[in-house]
Amino acid sequence: MAVTEPKGQGIQSLELGLYILKKISEERKPLTVTELSILCDIPKSKLHKYLTSFSRSGFLRKNQDLKYSLGTELILLGLKASEQLNIQDICHPFLIQLRETLNETVALAIWGENGPFFLRWEASNRAVNLGIKAGSQVSVTESAPGLLFSAYLPKEKTEHLIVKELDENNKKDYDKLIKELDNIRHKNFSVTTGTVVSGITAISAPVFELNGEIVAALTVVSMANVLDTSEHSDFIRMLQQTAFKMSQLLGFTS
């Protein structure tokens, strides 16, 4: 599809330059001028001027094989921007919207030194006391957020906590848990019922940050059998889409 320079107010050449940078970042591999020309639908003569300026500024890097990739200055700029992101502020509107849509309790869990804990908790209007609130630590192997983090985080961050819990509780054997974590990665969500609070179901979907690592678990908590937690249900699709939107605001692109 041909791309034309935006009309109206603004600096058109700047907007076109940013478009070129975005296309390069999306491909995630070094590209030749010819490849970029086709990708961006821009003549090579015009494209070359942008590539030269971006290379001089350090926003792009021209390799020895004459291919272009993201430069150090652009990567540093992205890192500085990500450092200013406050996950709680970014995610809060999504939690409120999801709670109002479902009339169920919605929470955001993050990973701490001793495993996952709830950073924010938005209670539903239902008269149900779950006994859990912001700051509550939850199990790595028995809670929906814990299983989600165990499935997606590097093994070195979770293994010692998993082994400790399995030794203490003896509710699941290790091989059974590994199969469960594989299934969670395949489905891209986790579900538990009655493991933390009797009669309560929790469902978590992953929120990713810029580097592709899980940074939070978007979690809905309800009475058991109220929500359809089957893999392709409308509810699961809504939860996953909301988590993905949150991930995009944190810099995640795929």
Side-chain angles (χ1 to χ4, degrees):
M1 179 184 295
V3 177
T4 57
E5 295 185 20
K7 305 297 182 181
Q9 298 297 318
I11 304 174
Q12 295 179 12
S13 59
L14 176 59
E15 291 170 349
L16 182 57
L18 294 174
Y19 168 77
I20 294 169
L21 290 176
K22 287 179 181 178
K23 298 302 286 187
I24 294 174
S25 67
E26 289 170 1
E27 289 300 303
R28 297 190 175 187
K29 65 178 182 179
L31 300 167
T32 65
V33 175
T34 300
E35 290 171 330
L36 278 169
S37 177
I38 296 172
L39 183 66
C40 301
D41 195 18
I42 300 173
K44 285 195 284 186
S45 58
K46 183 175 184 178
L47 180 64
H48 183 73
K49 296 178 181 179
Y50 285 93
L51 298 179
T52 299
S53 294
F54 284 138
S55 297
R56 286 175 180 170
S57 65
F59 279 23
L60 288 180
R61 182 165 64 93
K62 187 177 181 180
N63 304 328
Q64 292 183 346
D65 56 2
L66 304 183
K67 292 184 178 182
Y68 292 87
S69 57
L70 297 183
T72 304
E73 290 299 320
L74 187 59
I75 294 172
L76 290 175
L77 189 64
L79 290 173
K80 289 177 182 177
S82 66
E83 289 172 356
Q84 297 178 22
L85 296 177
N86 185 316
I87 186 171
Q88 190 166 191
D89 292 341
I90 288 173
C91 295
H92 184 229
F94 292 97
L95 268 64
I96 296 297
Q97 182 180 13
L98 201 57
R99 181 195 65 184
E100 293 178 350
T101 300
L102 299 171
N103 192 25
E104 300 290 352
T105 295
V106 181
L108 189 73
I110 63 173
W111 185 261
E113 289 185 8
N114 299 313
F117 66 93
F118 286 112
L119 179 67
R120 195 166 193 114
W121 186 270
E122 298 295 338
S124 71
N125 295 323
R126 301 181 189 275
V128 178
N129 183 8
L130 301 177
I132 301 174
K133 58 184 179 180
S136 297
Q137 196 91 34
V138 291
S139 167
V140 178
T141 61
E142 298 292 331
S143 71
L147 288 170
L148 197 72
F149 279 111
S150 296
Y152 282 100
L153 280 176
K155 189 175 181 179
E156 58 267 21
K157 289 188 177 182
T158 62
E159 183 77 359
H160 66 291
L161 294 172
I162 290 174
V163 171
K164 180 181 178 181
E165 282 195 12
L166 292 180
D167 286 344
E168 291 177 351
N169 301 327
N170 198 29
K171 292 182 179 179
K172 297 179 181 177
D173 62 52
Y174 187 82
D175 291 338
K176 181 180 178 181
L177 178 63
I178 294 303
K179 290 180 180 179
E180 185 176 0
L181 298 182
D182 287 340
N183 190 40
I184 288 171
R185 283 189 294 271
H186 173 72
K187 296 189 302 181
N188 199 40
F189 72 96
S190 61
V191 181
T192 58
T193 299
T195 54
V196 177
V197 179
S198 178
I200 298 297
T201 293
I203 313 95
S204 294
V207 178
F208 300 103
E209 60 181 345
L210 178 66
N211 63 6
E213 184 170 296
I214 184 173
V215 68
L218 175 61
T219 305
V220 175
V221 183
S222 73
M223 298 295 293
N225 302 318
V226 170
L227 297 171
D228 182 357
T229 60
S230 57
E231 186 173 354
H232 302 294
S233 69
D234 291 340
F235 161 66
I236 292 298
R237 189 178 301 112
M238 178 192 300
L239 182 66
Q240 291 173 329
Q241 289 175 347
T242 303
F244 182 68
K245 290 177 182 177
M246 293 160 63
S247 300
Q248 287 181 309
L249 289 178
L250 292 169
F252 184 66
T253 58
S254 62

